Amino acid sequence: MNEVAIIGAGVAGLTCACELVDRGIDISIYEQSERLGGTSCSWFAGGMLAPYCERDTAEHEVMQRGLVAAKWWQKHITEVIQKGSLVLALPRDRNELERLSRLGKQCRWVDQSQIEDIEPDLADFSGPGLLFPEEAHLNPRKALQDLANYLEMREISIQFDQAVRIEDLDAKIVLDCRGYHSHDTLPRLRGVKGEMMILRTRDLSLARPVRLLHPRQPIYMVPREDHQFMLGATLLENNERARFSVRSMLDLLNSAVLLSPSFGEAEIVESAADIRPAFDDNIPRLYRKHNVVFVNGLYRHGFLLGPSLAIQAAEAVLNPKQWQELPRCA
Amino acid sequence: MTMLELYGKSFESRLLLGTARYPSPSKLAEAVQASNTEIVTLSLRREAGGSHAGEKFWNLIKSLDVTILPNTAGCYSAREAVTTAQMARELFQTDWIKLEVIGDSESLHPDTAGLVEAARILNAEEFKVFPYTTEDLVVAEKLLHAGCEVLMPWGAPIGTARGLSNEYGLRTLRSRFETIPVIIDAGIGLPSHAARAMEIGYDAVLLNTAVARAEDPARMAEAFAEGIRGGRSAYLAGPMQPSDMPQTSTSLANKADLRE
C-alpha cells in the first residue's frame, strides 16, 4: 500500500508528486489518458513564471504565492529561462501600463529605443513598455515531461490509461488532481475557457515572453524552440472544452500583428481550446473529504502557482495539524 | 427618498454595475454587495458561445439576488443585436435588454441608426429596451417613438473614464425629456463624475470598468454608491446657481461694534 496515491498527471498532479517524493513519501500516480497532457489543460499553458505581470488581472495573493515558482522549477526541470518579461501597449493604451506598473512594482519603463535593445525584432513597435527583469518562463510540455522523468529516475512511473476510482485505490491518502474533471464533487469549481495558438515563423525571434496590453484582447507571445511562438489566450466565462471561435481567432491574431506585422506571414501550427478549473475567487486551494485531498482551482496559473499549492499539499500530508485544518468539501 | 422606476419596477439604488473584467467572480460579488447595487448587466455574446456553457457564471450572478439586465455588447448590426436579445430572453427569463449596437470597433461609438431599428423590432416583440445611445436629441426622440421608456446616453465612450465629456449636450437631453428615466451609461471613471451626472438631474448611472479594474473593486463600488447618493440629494435639495459676484455668507447683524 502506498502512502499517497495521486490521480491526474497534469501540472497539479506532477508538482504534488515531485514535492512528496522530495520529502521521502512513497507515492503512486494515475492518469486517465494514454499520454502526458492528453486530457489536461496544462498542455495548453503559456508557461510564464510571471508573478508581477499577472497583477494586471490577478490579486496580490497570486503574486506572492508565485514568487517561489521559478526556483522550484529550476530544481526539477532542465530549462527555466530567466530573461524577464516585456509588456507593451499602443501609445493610446498607456494608461493600462501605468496601472500595471503601480500594481506589479518590479519593473522599469522602456521607450522605443530601449525596446529595440531588448527585443531587436520589435524595433518598429511604437508604444512604450515595461520590463519585468526578474520573471522567467518555461515550455510547459517539456516541463511536464521533465517532471515525469524526474519521477522515473526515482522509480515512480505514471500509470497511464488508468481512469481509477478513488474507492478502488489502496492508499492512506489520495490527492485528487483532476482539474475540472473533479467538478462533480467540487460544486464551486467552474471552467473558464481559453483559446490558444502556436505560430511558427523565421521572420522574427523573441528572447522572452512579450505581452500586449489591450483593453479588448490582451495577448501574450511566448517564444518556444524551433521558431515557434505560443499565442494566448482568451478568457471566457464558460465551460466549453472545444470550439475555437472565429471572433477569438480574429482578436488574437489582430493583436499578434499589432505586436509585429511579421506574424502576418507565420504558419499556424496549432490552435486549441480548453478550460481552466477555477474557484469563485480564482485562487487555488485544497479541500479535504475523508482521506481525499482535492488539489484544484489553479485557473490560469498552473505553472506559476502549482509549486506553491504542491508545497501546501505536501505539508498537509505530513503534518497532522495542517491536515486537520484543511477546509472540508461542502 | 424617491425610488428609481424602470419599466414598472422600483429600485432604491441608482447605481447599475456591469459584470465584466473583475479579477474574479468573488470580487464582483463583493462589489455588488458593498454598493447595494440592485441591477447588474451581463454580456451574453462573448461568454455564451450560443449554448448553456456559461451557466456556472450566470448562476453565480443569479445568486447575488439582483435584477439581471442582459446586454448585447459586441453586436455590430441590428440583426445581431435582435438575435442576441432573443437568446438572452430565453436564457435569463427576462424581457429586459440593454441594447447596444456598436458602429465602430475602434471607438465603440454606437450605431444610432442600427440602434433605432433594433429598438423598433424588440419593442414590437414586447422587450423592455434600455438603449445605449449618445446625447443626440433626435436619436433619443426616435428611440422613444420606437417604444423605449428609458434612455441610456453615454457620459463618454466606453472604458475611457473621461466623465461627462459633453455636459452641455447631456443637460439639454435631460431637460428635453423630463419625465423619462435617463441613465448615464459608460465613460465614467470617478465617483465625482457619477455625482455630477446625478447633480444635473440624471436618474441613475451605469458603469463597469471603473469598479472592475480598481485595485479594490468593493471599496470603489461603495465610493460610487456614495457619490451617486450625494449627487442625487444635491439635485433634490436644489443647488445654488453660480454667481459672478461674491456674496457674504456671514450675517452682519451681530458684528462687533468697534466704533469709539
Side-chain angles (χ1 to χ4, degrees):
Chain A
M1 175 162 124
N2 291 109
E3 278 179 81
V4 177
I6 297 172
I7 315 176
V11 71
L14 288 171
T15 49
C16 283
C18 292
E19 193 57 37
L20 287 169
V21 166
D22 287 351
R23 293 166 192 243
I25 300 193
D26 170 38
I27 65 152
S28 54
I29 176 165
Y30 303 90
E31 164 61 40
Q32 67 163 347
S33 111
E34 290 160 18
R35 60 171 184 84
L36 214 52
T39 54
S40 154
C41 66
S42 317
W43 197 249
F44 303 110
M48 290 172 292
L49 306 176
Y52 305 109
C53 282
E54 277 301 314
R55 281 294 273 136
D56 183 44
T57 53
E59 288 183 59
H60 190 257
E61 184 179 343
V62 170
M63 181 177 93
Q64 281 209 307
R65 289 174 64 176
L67 295 176
V68 299
K71 259 208 180 112
W72 193 95
W73 286 105
Q74 270 167 348
K75 202 176 126 196
H76 292 93
I77 68 170
T78 49
E79 194 178 25
V80 175
I81 303 154
Q82 283 198 292
K83 290 192 171 164
S85 331
L86 181 62
V87 185
L88 303 176
L90 297 174
R92 64 171 195 200
D93 299 327
R94 190 188 166 89
N95 61 320
E96 300 273 340
L97 288 173
E98 274 162 7
R99 178 178 180 276
L100 177 59
S101 74
R102 200 172 62 238
L103 293 171
K105 295 199 170 69
Q106 300 295 325
C107 60
R108 63 181 165 87
W109 284 90
V110 286
D111 62 19
Q112 197 173 356
S113 75
Q114 289 163 316
I115 292 170
E116 184 174 355
D117 294 339
I118 301 165
E119 290 290 355
D121 288 343
L122 297 179
D124 293 333
F125 188 86
S126 62
L130 295 172
L131 181 68
F132 291 78
E134 290 167 35
E135 297 188 332
H137 70 283
L138 50 75
N139 179 332
R141 297 176 183 183
K142 283 173 69 182
L144 294 177
Q145 188 56 59
D146 282 354
L147 293 188
N149 297 343
Y150 185 93
L151 293 171
E152 198 76 49
M153 278 161 56
R154 286 152 184 84
E155 290 173 356
I156 294 155
S157 17
I158 301 169
Q159 301 183 42
F160 287 104
D161 207 6
Q162 299 286 321
V164 290
R165 295 191 312 171
I166 289 170
E167 52 273 30
D168 297 339
L169 288 173
D170 185 24
K172 270 190 238 162
I173 291 173
V174 176
L175 297 189
D176 182 313
C177 302
R178 293 180 299 136
Y180 188 70
H181 301 278
S182 306
H183 73 279
D184 43 352
T185 17
L186 296 172
R188 301 305 290 190
L189 198 68
R190 73 188 202 287
V192 181
K193 182 174 170 179
E195 294 146 309
M196 60 77 80
M197 307 172 85
I198 294 180
L199 309 179
R200 177 162 48 215
T201 175
R202 287 170 185 274
D203 292 350
L204 83 165
S205 63
L206 298 174
R208 56 185 62 70
V210 178
R211 299 183 184 218
L212 179 69
L213 298 186
H214 190 280
R216 288 192 285 292
Q217 186 54 64
I219 56 158
Y220 51 80
M221 192 70 89
V222 189
R224 298 227 175 126
E225 305 70 21
D226 192 25
H227 308 283
Q228 296 195 14
F229 298 86
M230 189 277 193
L231 165 60
T234 54
L235 207 59
L236 301 167
E237 283 291 349
N238 78 50
N239 57 5
E240 216 182 22
R241 299 206 70 161
R243 203 181 69 87
F244 201 137
S245 79
V246 170
R247 176 164 307 200
S248 295
M249 197 171 279
L250 280 172
D251 286 350
L252 288 172
L253 291 175
N254 260 330
S255 293
V257 174
L258 277 177
L259 200 59
S260 167
S262 300
F263 284 116
E265 293 302 319
E267 173 194 352
I268 298 173
V269 179
E270 182 182 327
S271 63
D274 205 339
I275 49 173
R276 316 161 174 97
F279 294 115
D280 289 357
D281 57 2
N282 293 341
I283 304 278
R285 59 171 61 81
L286 310 173
Y287 279 109
R288 180 159 82 82
K289 189 178 186 179
H290 311 301
N291 70 328
V292 183
V293 179
F294 293 87
V295 181
N296 216 317
L298 281 162
Y299 184 47
R300 54 180 270 167
H301 302 123
F303 287 81
L304 180 64
L305 299 188
S308 135
L309 193 62
I311 291 166
Q312 220 185 321
E315 281 167 2
V317 165
L318 284 167
N319 180 331
K321 185 163 173 285
Q322 291 184 28
W323 175 262
Q324 281 308 321
E325 283 169 1
L326 285 178
R328 309 297 164 96
C329 279
Chain B
M1 206 184 275
T2 53
M3 307 274 276
L4 172 67
E5 302 275 342
L6 301 168
Y7 288 108
K9 278 194 181 183
S10 311
F11 301 92
E12 253 171 62
S13 163
R14 290 172 182 268
L15 170 63
L16 291 75
L17 278 179
T19 54
R21 304 190 77 193
Y22 289 80
S24 66
S26 303
K27 288 281 159 191
L28 161 63
E30 286 168 23
V32 169
Q33 278 147 10
S35 57
N36 292 314
T37 295
E38 293 169 285
I39 303 172
V40 300
T41 66
L42 179 56
S43 128
L44 184 66
R45 211 181 156 69
R46 280 298 282 163
E47 316 294 353
S51 67
H52 286 258
E55 221 151 27
K56 286 226 173 173
F57 185 66
W58 304 333
N59 287 340
L60 278 169
I61 290 180
K62 281 182 197 160
S63 72
L64 298 174
D65 199 25
V66 290
T67 298
I68 293 178
L69 173 58
N71 68 49
T72 62
C75 289
Y76 284 85
S77 68
R79 202 170 145 172
E80 243 186 312
V82 167
T83 312
T84 306
Q86 289 161 342
M87 272 165 58
R89 172 150 74 182
E90 200 180 306
L91 284 167
F92 298 109
Q93 306 287 309
T94 174
D95 48 9
W96 281 29
I97 188 78
K98 180 188 153 189
L99 182 61
E100 271 184 46
V101 184
I102 300 300
D104 176 58
S105 64
E106 281 294 297
S107 67
L108 301 179
H109 200 291
D111 170 359
T112 46
L115 180 70
V116 173
E117 188 191 336
R120 200 171 288 134
I121 297 168
L122 291 173
N123 280 308
E125 293 182 18
E126 292 179 345
F127 277 90
K128 310 276 193 286
V129 180
F130 293 68
Y132 169 60
T133 182
T134 66
E135 68 275 23
D136 189 305
L137 289 179
V138 180
V139 173
E141 192 76 63
K142 289 186 178 177
L143 288 167
L144 298 178
H145 258 279
C148 299
E149 294 174 22
V150 175
L151 293 170
M152 301 224 287
W154 62 4
I158 299 173
T160 56
R162 306 189 79 84
L164 308 184
S165 64
N166 177 7
E167 191 182 309
Y168 163 68
L170 288 166
R171 278 176 182 277
T172 312
L173 183 76
R174 171 69 282 183
S175 55
R176 179 69 174 270
F177 305 105
E178 271 180 304
T179 57
I180 305 290
V182 193
I183 301 171
I184 290 287
D185 177 5
I188 298 296
L190 290 167
S192 54
H193 298 152
R196 185 72 192 141
M198 300 306 291
E199 283 164 9
I200 64 173
Y202 275 81
D203 292 283
V205 175
L206 192 164
L207 55 97
N208 186 349
T209 315
V211 166
R213 299 274 286 170
E215 285 175 40
D216 184 343
R219 191 165 192 174
M220 189 59 90
E222 207 181 343
F224 270 104
E226 284 170 9
I228 287 168
R229 267 195 301 274
R232 175 71 183 168
S233 294
Y235 170 71
L236 294 175
M240 72 180 282
Q241 296 305 306
S243 151
D244 287 341
M245 286 303 292
Q247 293 175 17
T248 174
S249 57
T250 311
S251 155
L252 295 175
N254 298 317
K255 258 194 159 175
D257 190 350
L258 298 177
R259 286 170 299 181
E260 290 288 312

